[in-house]
Every structure is written in C-alpha cells, then in structure tokens.
Amino acid sequence: MSPDAWQKDAADSYDRVAAVYAERTRSALQELPWMRGAFTQLVRLVSSSGGGPVLDVGCGPGWTTGFLVEEGIDAFGVDISSEMVHVARHNNPGVRFEPASLFCLPGNDATLAGVVCWFVLHHVPDGDLDAALAEMARVLKPGGVLLLGGHVGEGSRVKTEGYGGHPMRVLVNLRPAPEWETRLRRMGFRLEAHATCDIDDPSPWHALFARKAS
C-alpha cells in the first residue's frame, strides 16, 4: 500500500472517531503514572538543555501537547486527522495545532528542542517507518530529545472498528522493543533510556528517549 493510501485511511478513520477518542483518553496522563512520568521526564530533559520548541507528532485531541504547555514547554502539535486537530484546538485554546503528515513535518531543519511521537507509529507500514523517523530527525536540532512511545509486541492486522463501534481502517503493526533501539542507532541517535511498561498486561507499551547526534 502506498503512503498516500494508508495515510488517507488513517485520516478518515480518526476523523470519524475523534470525539469519542478524545473523551476516552482525556484522563490518561492522570490515571497512568508511567505515562505521565515519561512526559514529565521529557519536560526536564528539554528544560535542562536550554529549552526550545517541542513538536507533538500525532497529537490526537491534544491532551499530551496541552500537558507540555502547562509545564512551561513551547509545544505545538500536528495530526493527520483534521478533525483531531479541530478537537485539539478546542481543548487547548491558544496552543498551535495543524494538520500534517509524518513525512512532511512543519519546521526547518535542526530547529526543534524535542519531538514526541506517542502511540502513532504502529499505524506505519514497515517500508515507510525509517522515512517517518528520518523526518523527525530532520527537524530536531543536534542534541535534541526524541521521545517515542507506543505498543510493543509482534504481529500485524488491520483494525476495522473502534472507539464506539465506528468503522475504521488502520494498520496495527506491533514491533518488539529492541527493534526501535536498532532503528534509531542505525540513524545515528544516542539512546538514553528505554522502558517497557505493563509487561504482564496483554498490551505492553514502551517509552524510549534518544538524542540526535551533536
């Protein structure tokens, strides 16, 4: 499937579920301490490195972007779903959100202090994954912080329904945690921390911190 095809499917799918998804994830950072801890650590790392803008890639309804802004970070968000962007703007007045593809992020080369991509990359086919990571690396300044998080495991399927029974068509492509380390090292990132959470749960997830080479 071409990047245009699966991205259109993802955009259409999340347009349909945006309102339900926003309500279901509203309290995630309050209820999941490991997840909140990852974003708190991102705030500390960016602040201790002199600050600067942080891009939330695949921001969804804007809860994570809003948290970063509340913590004093100059954060802004992008999402492939225009309806998610609309919801995010409503939830976070005054915060910048705009529609954008993983492969064409807003920002000049080497200008951002941080990039976070949270529970997004499982929707990306294997053949397009390195291009998406390379685009995040492009906008990061040397020494900038990358936080990746999401599902880990093995197997691939197409999700056809979700969030209130709405029809969807999105890839769910699970990858083992070590694969993320291999891919980022190959791209020249320096890994700082990698944690797998809810290890005994049916749906474990991970949070990986890396820095772009100086």
Side-chain angles (χ1 to χ4, degrees), residues 62-93:
W63 303 130
T64 50
T65 323
F67 173 82
L68 294 174
V69 171
E70 290 174 359
E71 295 296 311
I73 296 297
D74 177 19
F76 64 106
V78 299
D79 201 279
I80 198 169
S81 163
S82 58
E83 187 59 30
M84 281 291 192
V85 169
H86 173 76
V87 171
R89 289 171 175 166
H90 175 77
N91 291 335
N92 302 274

Side-chain angles (χ1 to χ4, degrees), residues 55-66:
L55 173 59
D56 188 355
V57 178
C59 63
W63 303 130
T64 50
T65 323

Side-chain angles (χ1 to χ4, degrees), residues 13 15-21 24 159-169:
S13 295
D15 280 349
R16 285 190 290 270
V17 303
V20 177
Y21 183 88
R24 291 192 178 185
K159 182 176 182 178
T160 58
E161 181 182 299
Y163 309 109
H166 294 282
M168 301 183 75
R169 181 176 172 79

Side-chain angles (χ1 to χ4, degrees), residues 64-153:
T64 50
T65 323
F67 173 82
L68 294 174
V69 171
E70 290 174 359
E71 295 296 311
I73 296 297
D74 177 19
F76 64 106
V78 299
D79 201 279
I80 198 169
S81 163
S82 58
E83 187 59 30
M84 281 291 192
V85 169
H86 173 76
V87 171
R89 289 171 175 166
H90 175 77
N91 291 335
N92 302 274
V95 180
R96 175 186 167 195
F97 295 97
E98 59 187 87
S101 162
L102 282 165
F103 306 104
C104 188
L105 298 175
N108 295 325
D109 294 357
T111 55
L112 302 184
V115 170
V116 55
C117 189
W118 199 250
F119 282 79
V120 173
L121 295 175
H122 59 283
H123 292 320
V124 179
D126 286 338
D128 296 323
L129 186 56
D130 281 349
L133 294 172
E135 178 65 357
M136 295 181 218
R138 178 189 68 79
V139 296
L140 269 176
K141 66 182 182 181
V145 180
L146 175 67
L147 169 59
L148 297 183
H151 304 291
V152 293

Side-chain angles (χ1 to χ4, degrees), residues 3-15:
D4 288 344
W6 70 257
Q7 287 187 93
K8 184 180 186 307
D9 284 343
D12 291 345
S13 295
Y14 279 100
D15 280 349

